Amino acid sequence: FIYKNIKYPPIARENGVEGTVVIRFVVGKDGSVEEPTILRDIGAQCGSEAMRVVKMMNSMGKKWVPGKQRGKPVKVYFNLPVKFRLE
């Protein structure tokens, strides 16, 4: 889902920016994405593009599998690395 929907920012392409952006979010009890934040940004609008795609995940139809503790669903932090590579 991530790599199908991500669009390499033009400014990053022009300047040859590559690397990994890390987005942290909470997988809610119902499997939804909550509170996304950028932990590591490589600049040139790559972090904001990764954030845009992560926010789209709630509307894609499928949900994440929530964490479980004693058989009950609980909220869990998840760190998602998104790689930006020029071809």
Side-chain angles (χ1 to χ4, degrees):
F1 177 81
I2 297 281
Y3 294 109
K4 282 183 185 175
N5 291 294
I6 212 144
K7 294 181 180 98
Y8 216 101
I11 193 164
R13 188 179 303 278
E14 290 167 12
N15 294 315
V17 176
E18 293 184 326
T20 304
V21 173
V22 180
I23 305 286
R24 179 173 79 179
F25 56 89
V26 175
V27 177
K29 292 180 182 181
D30 61 348
S32 62
V33 174
E34 303 170 2
E35 306 171 28
T37 56
I38 300 171
L39 289 184
R40 186 183 330 151
D41 191 358
I42 55 174
Q45 299 175 348
C46 291
S48 58
E49 176 61 15
M51 181 72 93
R52 181 187 71 82
V53 175
V54 167
K55 287 179 180 177
M56 284 173 47
M57 282 196 268
N58 280 335
S59 61
M60 73 177 182
K62 292 184 180 179
K63 297 278 187 179
W64 286 78
V65 177
K68 289 202 174 190
Q69 190 170 28
R70 296 188 194 110
K72 293 186 177 184
V74 293
K75 292 181 176 185
V76 176
Y77 277 110
F78 187 82
N79 291 342
L80 178 71
V82 180
K83 294 183 178 167
F84 285 86
R85 284 225 169 73
L86 290 169
E87 291 145 8

